[in-house]
Amino acid sequence: MALNPLVDSRDVRFVLYEMMDVLQLTKLPKYSSFDKDMFEDMLNLAETMAVEQIYPTFAEGDKEGCHYDGATKKVSIPKCYHAALDAFYEAGFGGMDVSDEWGGMGIPQVISWACNEFFCSANYPLLMYPGLTHGAAELIEAFGTEEQKHMYLANMYSGKWGGTMCLTEPDAGSDVGALKTKAVRQPDGTFKIYGQKIFISSGDNDYYENMIHPVLARIEGDPPGTKGISIFIVPKYRVNPDGSLGEFNDVTCAGIEHKMGIKGSATCTLSFGDNNNCIGWLLGQERQGMKIMFKMMNYARMGVGLQAHGCASAAYMHAVTYCKNRVQGVHVTQMLNPEAKGVTIINHPDVKRMLLWMKSYLEGQRAMIYYLYLNYELAQLLEGEAAKEAQALVEIITPIEKAGCSDMSVLITSEAMQCYGGYGFVADYPVEQMMRNSKITAIYEGTNGIQSMDLTMRKILMNPEQYNYTVLKKRMQQTIDKAKGVVEDKYVALVERGIQKLDEVIEMMKQQMASGQFLHLFANATPLQQAMYMLVIAWMHLWSLSITMPKMKELVGDKKGEERAALLKDNAEAAFYSGKVLASQFYLGAEFPKYFGKIEALLSGESAVIKASEEIFTGALNE
Amino acid sequence: MATGVMSLNPLVDTRDTRFVLFEVLGVDKLTQYPRFADFDKDTFEDVLNLAETIAVEQVYPANMEGDKIGVKYEPDTKRVILPECYKPALQAMYDAGFIGLVNDPEIGGMGMPQAIGQCCTEFFTAASVAFSMYPALTIGALNLIKNFGTQEMKDLYIPKMITGQWTGTMCLTEPDAGSDVGNLKTKAIRQSDGTYKIIGQKIFISGGDYDMPENIIHPVLARIEGDPPGTKGISIFIVPKYRVKPNGSLEFNDVICSGIEHKMGIKASATCTLNFGDNGDCIGWLLGQERQGMKIMFQMMNEARLYVGLQGLAVSSAAYMHAIKYARNRVQGVDVTQMLNPDAPKVTIIKHPDVKRMLLWMKSYVEGMRLLTYYVGYQEDLVHVLDGEAKKEAQAMIEFLIPITKAGNTDNAWKVTAEAIQVYGGYGFCSDYPAEQFARDAKILSIYEGTNGIQSMDLTMRKILMNPEQYNYTVFKKRVQETIDRAKGIVDDKYVAIVQKGLEKVDTVVNYLKDQMAAGKFLHIFANATPLQQALSMFTLAWLHLWMLSATQPKMKEIVGDRKGDDLTVLLADNSEAAYYTGKVLSSQFFLGAEFKKFFGMVDYILDGEAAVVKANEYIFTGAPLE
């Protein structure tokens, strides 16, 4: 299989075909015209594009960054991004999962997102341009009138026009209901839009011919808070009936942010209606803005988890290559031998530990992410209980995936830099940029604190009969049952115990809920999410180990020592499965025990956080 | 301790520094010893206040600007340009005598305790990580000369270095010699007059060259031609940028900066590549004996590693303090108990449980790290004033805790600074706000001065398993047990019990590793070195929190009594001592009651004996290109 510096291609196939059995989708009417060869073509094409067209823009785009011209109020994105985006769209990736009615290829979600893993690991800030466009187009596809769909979709999926998500304002971040942008009803059914939005990725740029902004705003007279929010389509240039671009629609970029990372992404402040001439078209029903936006948000959250994961995957892969080449120090067993020669650092136990740690999280995450996308699709394609269960898994895993992958990305990119040593901190090497890019994923698209609240309250405690949690446990139990006798007992027992412990925590929280101890629940939301993330990764590893352990035994048999080393060196499959087994054993046997410490922290009932008030955070300035 | 309101600054909780120094460590008691008899608490206060003032008023304002401008290199002139805003700040620090703060009065220092020095350095470093490295490296180079130089060398270099007129560096690293410093190639060729010609290239030299000092003094590790390879053959030389002629004038000594690094952070620190002897005219003077380079450098290593640990504490403190201020002012959302009330007023985010959790988490780590770092500095003072067993024990604690301080504080620094960005939300990611710079500055700390992997090996092997009779570890346990015994009856049982249980677990782990050592399972030990260090670092903070709680719990009870609800809130808002001690108690209870539980999972990582790391070899890391 091809080797690339971004994503383990062999592992992508393992997860898709050997774990998730995505070919099951081809048995469904929607995908009956697809087969494995077609999936492979897409994946290979995506990999080639990621490595040859997108990855070369990674360093350059960060160095050049975006520029804002105060005189023209225009934003220019890194020059190298243009050709890369052209290639991306020409190959059809802008709408790969979209219906051919809108010019898409209509491939399954899980395949399209496996392709996205390659793209995100290559340079995820670049992917935000088509990513947001795709998201905005989907909103229109799901909630727009036929007229709106015909006016916008084809051009958006083809990359001629771009899209954004306009929610945030200076005083409305996590509290989006506090937004002030207003919509004033016009006699012809349109609305005049007035307001300012900030942190709008791709808000203005010199790539797309037009920008289509879905904007959350409050119709004058509608109530405050989230209940009063509607959503409007606000193009940068109004579109004529014949599809040509019309008048400038009074959407101005007032500036861009200078950021720690994702410098190639144009993060804009947009002013709507500075000249009283900004028109918006209602999308869906009045005062349904939040409900509509949530559909996009859930999907976007899954996407952020993948961005973070891709970023971390690239960092890990670079670290592996670096460690295989950097000579430094002798083998630790030769430390007292003055004749000993220097070895590559991948031979040092502490370096192997760091790499195996990264590998184990990334492989667990890959399985979780693909599983999430598979179920996202199954929820739409299946019927009855099967569809409900798939949806339940999507509900409960989405916040875990978004928060977990983004928090891990910050730690994995840091550990990758640690493998590089001093050179890792130097800007000539790519890892420091990966670190800088990682942190925003824990913040946008709903901070991880928000994800944790969503998981704890909406997805578990307030979910009728805890249906989502019940389905999750059912699936985990199925994996445990299949693993018995195939995987060593100690690993199975750990996951079983993990579920039991989680049950204890959920019970405790249900009681706290019943007795109105809301502060305790909110203080424990993030600790719960962090623990559940570890458990889901453990579950994925147990599932994986059930498959890889027999395979490895088949290929490697009883070989030990030199014989085994020789086999692993020459036989790619033997090396792959051995690596998979070791990563899973490492996660379950060494890393996962830390989960139980997190559980004990949750069960401890330590109430210091509750008792803390703002006054006790002493020492700092008041303003 | 005066109950007056202590100054507030954006970097370090000043009140907490005094708590650690005087209420926990009792640093003022050092004045009973001859070495420190000239001082009293007031003099210490004066110095601490001066450091805080300079740090806040001069250094801190230069931090963001220095990062934006960065150090610049002119290839034509080979000049390195320091951001202009740094120069007056450095000069203010030098003029106030801070380079020689803890150094011998005989050489022009102030002779203050190390513990006081740690606090002053915390202020300067929190104000700007990059800034503080300039004087720190000068101090290190100066100390090398003081401890190992001839009288002539000392007379020639120290007076100007202690004033900052001349500065210093540490020249070890080369492109193929990082962790494996013995692999270095820089060579020294014996000259007939007793000097050496130096030829070689060093990289990553902080402060290696820049346009402020009149001269830069480089201690350079090099191999005398003919000497053996590896660490055994290394000598150390003093190589000034300008050599001093008999008439006092300066002559260029063929030390050229051939470039600087562009880095993720500490951008205002000049990270240089230095070429020695490009023109065959670079002279070095042997420091100490031939082939004693490593031994000499090692004596400085403790000091340097403690300093990096302090950098980890300081940048975490600055990030945390900024996060508090932001959370106190940023209005967003309603009180969580009012979520269903459409008329509920918006509140500042410091009211939200999840934000309080993040802040309390940061507070507990910053406060634990502060006591740890000052404690180690204080042990160095004790080594100077005590005798016999007491002196040995203080030294043992230093040996044991240095790798823990360096690795633990710096691993925490990346996490704390990242969490501070999280508190800021989207704005935290924007360069107009200071949070993201703290994080960018923090990551190098786990890498330089010996990567944390190296620290972990040092702790596991040299400081524990290969330490005769595990003396260091025995003393550590003794100290911990003393704290546990003193805490009984003062601190809630559950907190005492958890540290006791933790100590038992530490013993179990150390015995487990001793068994592996005896069985020759070196690969297992090396694979477990970092996990051991991480567990011990966490345990050390738990010990220190128990110690602090023994002091703060009674104080809080005294001031707060039985007050609850609104009564309590009013008191906390009005009485800064009540707020301070309450915060301390909650911080320690949070760490011991919740966070420390994770330690037991970290211990199980080791005890469960998973051998995957040992079984892994380079071939199983599949997927990535070979080159």
Short mmCIF file of all heavy atoms in Angstrom, two decimals, chain A residues 520-537:
data_model
loop_
_atom_site.label_atom_id
_atom_site.label_comp_id
_atom_site.label_asym_id
_atom_site.label_seq_id
_atom_site.Cartn_x
_atom_site.Cartn_y
_atom_site.Cartn_z
N HIS A 520 -23.52 20.25 40.54
CA HIS A 520 -22.63 19.09 40.51
C HIS A 520 -22.55 18.49 39.12
O HIS A 520 -21.49 18.11 38.64
CB HIS A 520 -23.09 18.03 41.50
CG HIS A 520 -22.84 18.40 42.93
ND1 HIS A 520 -23.62 19.30 43.61
CD2 HIS A 520 -21.87 18.02 43.80
CE1 HIS A 520 -23.16 19.45 44.83
NE2 HIS A 520 -22.09 18.68 44.98
N LEU A 521 -23.70 18.40 38.47
CA LEU A 521 -23.73 17.83 37.13
C LEU A 521 -22.90 18.66 36.16
O LEU A 521 -22.12 18.13 35.38
CB LEU A 521 -25.18 17.75 36.62
CG LEU A 521 -26.07 16.78 37.36
CD1 LEU A 521 -27.50 16.90 36.87
CD2 LEU A 521 -25.57 15.35 37.18
N PHE A 522 -23.08 19.97 36.24
CA PHE A 522 -22.35 20.83 35.32
C PHE A 522 -20.85 20.82 35.60
O PHE A 522 -20.04 20.93 34.70
CB PHE A 522 -22.91 22.25 35.35
CG PHE A 522 -24.20 22.39 34.59
CD1 PHE A 522 -25.40 22.62 35.24
CD2 PHE A 522 -24.22 22.25 33.21
CE1 PHE A 522 -26.59 22.73 34.53
CE2 PHE A 522 -25.40 22.37 32.48
CZ PHE A 522 -26.59 22.60 33.15
N ALA A 523 -20.49 20.70 36.86
CA ALA A 523 -19.06 20.64 37.20
C ALA A 523 -18.44 19.33 36.73
O ALA A 523 -17.26 19.26 36.45
CB ALA A 523 -18.88 20.81 38.70
N ASN A 524 -19.26 18.29 36.64
CA ASN A 524 -18.75 16.98 36.24
C ASN A 524 -18.91 16.67 34.76
O ASN A 524 -18.49 15.60 34.30
CB ASN A 524 -19.47 15.88 37.04
CG ASN A 524 -18.82 15.65 38.40
OD1 ASN A 524 -17.64 15.88 38.56
ND2 ASN A 524 -19.61 15.21 39.36
N ALA A 525 -19.50 17.59 34.02
CA ALA A 525 -19.79 17.31 32.61
C ALA A 525 -18.52 17.00 31.82
O ALA A 525 -18.44 15.98 31.13
CB ALA A 525 -20.54 18.49 31.99
N THR A 526 -17.52 17.87 31.92
CA THR A 526 -16.29 17.62 31.16
C THR A 526 -15.56 16.37 31.66
O THR A 526 -15.14 15.55 30.84
CB THR A 526 -15.38 18.87 31.17
OG1 THR A 526 -16.02 19.92 30.46
CG2 THR A 526 -14.04 18.57 30.53
N PRO A 527 -15.41 16.19 32.99
CA PRO A 527 -14.81 14.93 33.43
C PRO A 527 -15.55 13.70 32.91
O PRO A 527 -14.92 12.70 32.54
CB PRO A 527 -14.90 15.04 34.96
CG PRO A 527 -14.79 16.50 35.21
CD PRO A 527 -15.53 17.15 34.09
N LEU A 528 -16.88 13.76 32.81
CA LEU A 528 -17.64 12.61 32.28
C LEU A 528 -17.31 12.40 30.82
O LEU A 528 -17.02 11.27 30.39
CB LEU A 528 -19.14 12.83 32.44
CG LEU A 528 -20.00 11.74 31.77
CD1 LEU A 528 -19.87 10.41 32.52
CD2 LEU A 528 -21.47 12.15 31.70
N GLN A 529 -17.30 13.47 30.05
CA GLN A 529 -17.01 13.35 28.61
C GLN A 529 -15.62 12.78 28.39
O GLN A 529 -15.43 11.90 27.54
CB GLN A 529 -17.17 14.73 27.96
CG GLN A 529 -16.68 14.87 26.54
CD GLN A 529 -15.23 15.32 26.46
OE1 GLN A 529 -14.36 14.59 25.98
NE2 GLN A 529 -14.94 16.51 26.92
N GLN A 530 -14.65 13.24 29.18
CA GLN A 530 -13.28 12.78 29.01
C GLN A 530 -13.16 11.29 29.35
O GLN A 530 -12.43 10.55 28.69
CB GLN A 530 -12.32 13.62 29.87
CG GLN A 530 -12.18 15.03 29.33
CD GLN A 530 -11.38 15.96 30.21
OE1 GLN A 530 -11.22 15.72 31.41
NE2 GLN A 530 -10.87 17.05 29.64
N ALA A 531 -13.91 10.85 30.37
CA ALA A 531 -13.90 9.43 30.73
C ALA A 531 -14.58 8.61 29.63
O ALA A 531 -14.06 7.57 29.21
CB ALA A 531 -14.60 9.22 32.07
N MET A 532 -15.72 9.08 29.15
CA MET A 532 -16.44 8.32 28.12
C MET A 532 -15.63 8.22 26.84
O MET A 532 -15.66 7.19 26.15
CB MET A 532 -17.81 8.95 27.85
CG MET A 532 -18.80 8.68 28.98
SD MET A 532 -20.47 9.21 28.61
CE MET A 532 -20.99 7.96 27.41
N TYR A 533 -14.90 9.26 26.51
CA TYR A 533 -14.02 9.21 25.34
C TYR A 533 -13.04 8.04 25.48
O TYR A 533 -12.86 7.24 24.57
CB TYR A 533 -13.27 10.53 25.18
CG TYR A 533 -12.11 10.46 24.21
CD1 TYR A 533 -12.32 10.49 22.83
CD2 TYR A 533 -10.81 10.32 24.68
CE1 TYR A 533 -11.25 10.39 21.95
CE2 TYR A 533 -9.74 10.22 23.79
CZ TYR A 533 -9.96 10.26 22.43
OH TYR A 533 -8.91 10.16 21.57
N MET A 534 -12.42 7.95 26.66
CA MET A 534 -11.46 6.86 26.87
C MET A 534 -12.12 5.51 26.73
O MET A 534 -11.52 4.56 26.19
CB MET A 534 -10.80 6.97 28.25
CG MET A 534 -9.65 7.93 28.30
SD MET A 534 -8.61 7.67 29.77
CE MET A 534 -7.29 6.64 29.09
N LEU A 535 -13.34 5.39 27.24
CA LEU A 535 -14.04 4.11 27.17
C LEU A 535 -14.40 3.76 25.72
O LEU A 535 -14.24 2.60 25.30
CB LEU A 535 -15.30 4.14 28.04
CG LEU A 535 -16.12 2.85 28.05
CD1 LEU A 535 -15.30 1.68 28.60
CD2 LEU A 535 -17.40 3.03 28.88
N VAL A 536 -14.85 4.73 24.97
CA VAL A 536 -15.20 4.45 23.57
C VAL A 536 -13.96 4.01 22.79
O VAL A 536 -14.01 3.07 21.99
CB VAL A 536 -15.85 5.70 22.91
CG1 VAL A 536 -15.98 5.51 21.40
CG2 VAL A 536 -17.21 5.97 23.53
N ILE A 537 -12.84 4.65 23.05
CA ILE A 537 -11.59 4.24 22.39
C ILE A 537 -11.22 2.82 22.80
O ILE A 537 -10.76 2.02 21.98
CB ILE A 537 -10.45 5.23 22.71
CG1 ILE A 537 -10.79 6.65 22.20
CG2 ILE A 537 -9.13 4.77 22.07
CD1 ILE A 537 -10.92 6.79 20.70
#
